[in-house]
Amino acid sequence: YDKDSRCFDIVPVPARFGSVHCDPMKLDSLFEKNREWAKDIESQSPGFFTRLQQQQSPQYLWIGCSDSRVPANEIVGLLPGELFVHRNVANLVVHSDLNCLSVMEFAIDSLQVKHIIVCGHYQCGGIRAAMSNTSFGLIDNWLRHVKDVYRLHLNDLQNIADESKRYDRLVELNVMQQVYNLCKTSIVQSGWQKGEFPYIHGWVYDVNDGDRKS
Ligand code: ZN
């Protein structure tokens, strides 16, 4: 355990994995960056990590895409402890996905988050893959849900001649569908039966300018 970086390195890497997957220089730089980050936070807000040890109390659940260009906390300027996050390829809410449902249930019932944000993004590789007829392996089954969104809006989408505009529109329609799916889950429905929360929001983040569009 490195006290300054607050990281455990618990899995010594066997040599047989070679240097391609585990470049020690690169990992060292990650630890170094982490150490600097922790130091910055602590100097800006003394006692920050001690306070975090007590309990997390985020007000928001973020359901976003796994894309590395859309890091949840960073783009909305929230610190550790302020945002509960679930990410998957193309920010999908699937009623049989136990991973997402478990996150939602914990966020609503235990953390009592007030808002759930489904955030898609333009230039989404998952959406682009779903628009094509190419096979990408196992993920084809996951992207089937996006292809269903395309099918539901087939006429509207086919009327958009410009392919990049059609792509953008599918990103938006996909977020709308996931918001709908979210609202129909038993978890959100029972939350609404007990009170007014959670509020549900659908956003699209623009990787071109770093802005978010509702
Ligand atoms: Zn994406």
Side-chain angles (χ1 to χ4, degrees):
Y1 176 61
D2 181 327
K3 187 171 153 298
D4 293 329
S5 72
R6 298 167 191 281
C7 281
F8 287 92
D9 191 4
I10 55 170
V11 188
V13 180
R16 67 175 179 278
F17 285 124
S19 60
V20 174
H21 299 293
C22 305
D23 182 337
M25 297 302 290
K26 285 187 179 164
L27 288 181
D28 278 353
S29 80
L30 294 183
F31 279 113
E32 184 54 38
K33 283 175 191 293
N34 175 245
R35 211 171 284 124
E36 285 167 16
W37 170 83
K39 216 165 100 186
D40 280 354
I41 297 259
E42 195 64 26
S43 70
Q44 285 165 28
S45 178
F48 179 84
F49 290 104
T50 310
R51 289 194 297 279
L52 264 193
Q53 283 170 21
Q54 315 302 321
Q55 190 189 340
Q56 60 168 336
S57 52
Q59 297 290 299
Y60 318 96
L61 165 62
W62 176 277
I63 299 177
C65 184
S66 302
D67 193 302
S68 62
R69 297 166 297 176
V70 195
N73 282 66
E74 282 89 335
I75 65 175
V76 286
L78 290 178
L79 289 167
E82 295 181 328
L83 187 65
F84 202 62
V85 174
H86 175 78
R87 291 169 71 180
N88 60 43
V89 172
N91 42 271
L92 301 183
V93 179
V94 178
H95 74 277
S96 56
D97 176 7
L98 283 178
N99 185 348
C100 184
L101 295 178
S102 302
V103 169
M104 281 171 51
E105 186 178 76
F106 185 73
I108 294 171
D109 291 350
S110 299
L111 298 175
Q112 299 186 321
V113 300
K114 301 289 184 287
H115 302 269
I116 303 180
I117 298 155
V118 178
C119 187
H121 67 102
Y122 297 123
Q123 306 296 323
C124 180
I127 301 291
R128 179 173 283 290
M131 285 178 75
S132 79
N133 289 320
T134 308
S135 174
F136 296 93
L138 189 62
I139 199 168
D140 294 347
N141 300 288
W142 183 248
L143 296 178
R144 183 73 251 163
H145 299 292
V146 182
K147 287 176 183 282
D148 285 343
V149 176
Y150 197 107
R151 182 173 47 78
L152 279 170
H153 300 275
L154 191 61
N155 289 339
D156 290 345
L157 287 165
Q158 281 185 338
N159 283 334
I160 304 173
D162 184 300
E163 196 190 334
S164 70
K165 288 198 172 76
R166 193 158 72 241
Y167 178 20
D168 287 351
R169 186 58 184 152
L170 183 57
V171 166
E172 295 163 358
L173 290 170
N174 182 55
V175 168
M176 290 181 211
Q177 182 64 48
Q178 305 321 312
V179 166
Y180 181 84
N181 294 351
L182 189 53
C183 294
K184 291 294 176 191
T185 58
S186 56
I187 302 164
V188 169
Q189 290 285 320
S190 78
W192 286 346
Q193 275 167 13
K194 289 179 219 153
E196 62 178 310
F197 296 113
Y199 293 163
I200 312 288
H201 311 266
W203 293 359
V204 175
Y205 174 75
D206 193 343
V207 294
N208 299 305
D209 62 11
D211 200 4
R212 95 58 222 142
K213 331 282 183 201
S214 283

